[in-house]
Amino acid sequence: MDKKNALEVEKLTKIYLKGSGGEIRALNNLDLKIKEGEIFGLLGPNGAGKTTFINILAGTVLKNSGKVNVWGFDLDKSSREVRASIGIVPQEINLDAFFSPRKLLELQAGLYGVTKKNQITDEILKMVSLYDKAESYSRSLSGGMKRRLLIAKAMVHQPPILILDEPTAGLDLAQLVQMRALIRKLSGERLILLSTHILQEVVQNCNRVVMLSHGVKKLDESLATLQQRHTDQSLETVVSQELALHMGT
């Protein structure tokens, strides 16, 4: 059975005006079609347009032109439904230091009108391996635990699309392994968008890579297809070569 497109983007463009009178095209006619169940890496350096793309999906930045369809909902016509379909995990750790994980999740559940929030909170805390820390102050958690708590907050309303912005930033090796295992656990029918500038994170976590440079899509390919074309090389080497080729470096 063919899977549905969870995210469809057509000719998406965002222009920022400079104070000097010029302009910056953060996104330039971006086209994407991503199916449910995919883990796709949005790869590119700082300034590539990754954050602008995420902010447009979140509704915090307005696009100049183009179409965005999220799980069947048009961003222009059904912004509330689009936001409800997406869980966003920011790069910045923005947790209230004196709230417990349980309290934070219960508050988040209330914002989305989640019923049976106590049951949902317990299930999600167990899923992200924080159940034993449910009543601790957030400030007492390790960096890896705080990042898993951010994921838990984004999952409270059970969105079919999960966006992870640099989810492994600042993690040590043990925490990195835990995070990668959690990302695999969360995949399945859910679409996961992993935004990163780190090549290895795409290779380790994703089954598809989309490369951006100055708002332009340079590559959109499954990692399996890339590997099939270069069977004599490691996947990381292949993606690195493709990155250099398409980014013009």
Side-chain angles (χ1 to χ4, degrees):
M1 183 177 177
D2 290 338
K3 292 188 175 182
K4 300 178 182 178
N5 286 329
L7 178 61
E8 296 180 347
V9 176
E10 182 180 346
K11 298 188 182 305
L12 182 62
T13 298
K14 175 59 183 178
I15 300 171
Y16 294 105
L17 299 180
K18 292 182 178 180
S20 59
E23 64 180 37
I24 299 174
R25 285 184 173 260
L27 293 172
N28 193 357
N29 289 317
L30 179 64
D31 290 328
L32 281 177
K33 286 186 179 181
I34 311 293
K35 294 186 180 297
E36 59 182 320
E38 287 196 90
I39 307 178
F40 87 95
L42 191 62
L43 180 65
N46 292 334
K50 305 189 302 297
T51 299
T52 295
F53 179 59
I54 291 173
N55 288 339
I56 288 173
L57 294 180
T60 58
V61 167
L62 297 177
K63 60 186 175 63
N64 288 90
S65 60
K67 295 182 179 180
V68 178
N69 189 286
V70 176
W71 210 250
F73 296 107
D74 183 279
L75 179 62
D76 294 328
K77 300 176 182 177
S78 307
S79 59
R80 180 178 296 181
E81 288 81 0
V82 167
R83 288 196 296 271
S85 299
I86 295 175
I88 297 180
V89 182
Q91 180 178 352
E92 298 78 16
I93 296 177
N94 55 358
L95 301 169
D96 190 304
F98 295 98
F99 279 20
S100 69
R102 183 181 301 283
K103 183 64 174 178
L104 286 169
L105 295 193
E106 288 176 350
L107 289 172
Q108 189 78 356
L111 290 175
Y112 281 94
V114 175
T115 59
K116 300 181 180 178
K117 63 181 180 181
N118 292 335
Q119 177 184 337
I120 294 296
T121 295
D122 283 347
E123 290 175 357
I124 292 178
L125 286 170
K126 290 174 183 177
M127 179 179 66
V128 300
S129 302
L130 287 176
Y131 189 73
D132 61 336
K133 298 288 185 179
E135 309 302 335
S136 303
Y137 283 140
S138 295
R139 65 176 182 173
S140 70
L141 302 179
S142 69
M145 290 177 182
K146 289 176 181 177
R147 291 212 171 273
R148 297 204 304 275
L149 181 53
L150 287 175
I151 290 178
K153 281 187 64 180
M155 290 294 299
V156 162
H157 61 296
Q158 299 178 310
I161 297 176
L162 184 63
I163 297 175
L164 308 175
D165 191 4
E166 302 284 359
T168 60
L171 301 186
D172 62 28
L173 182 58
Q175 295 167 343
L176 189 62
V177 171
Q178 286 182 316
M179 181 58 70
R180 288 172 178 171
L182 178 57
I183 291 172
R184 287 192 292 271
K185 183 193 296 188
L186 294 173
S187 63
E189 294 305 307
R190 184 179 297 107
L191 164 64
I192 295 180
L193 186 165
L194 194 160
S195 174
T196 183
H197 67 281
I198 303 173
L199 172 64
Q200 190 177 35
E201 291 311 303
V202 171
V203 173
Q204 291 291 330
N205 294 298
C206 303
N207 49 40
R208 179 175 172 185
V209 59
V210 173
M211 296 179 185
L212 291 182
S213 178
H214 300 292
V216 177
K217 183 174 69 175
K218 296 292 187 177
L219 179 70
D220 184 352
E221 194 79 82
S222 77
L223 297 187
T225 299
L226 289 175
Q227 185 69 87
Q228 288 172 4
R229 291 207 302 262
H230 305 274
T231 56
D232 59 332
Q233 300 178 63
S234 71
L235 186 54
E236 188 166 344
T237 298
V238 171
V239 178
S240 179
Q241 290 174 345
E242 292 283 346
L243 181 64
L245 175 64
H246 290 278
M247 294 298 188
T249 58

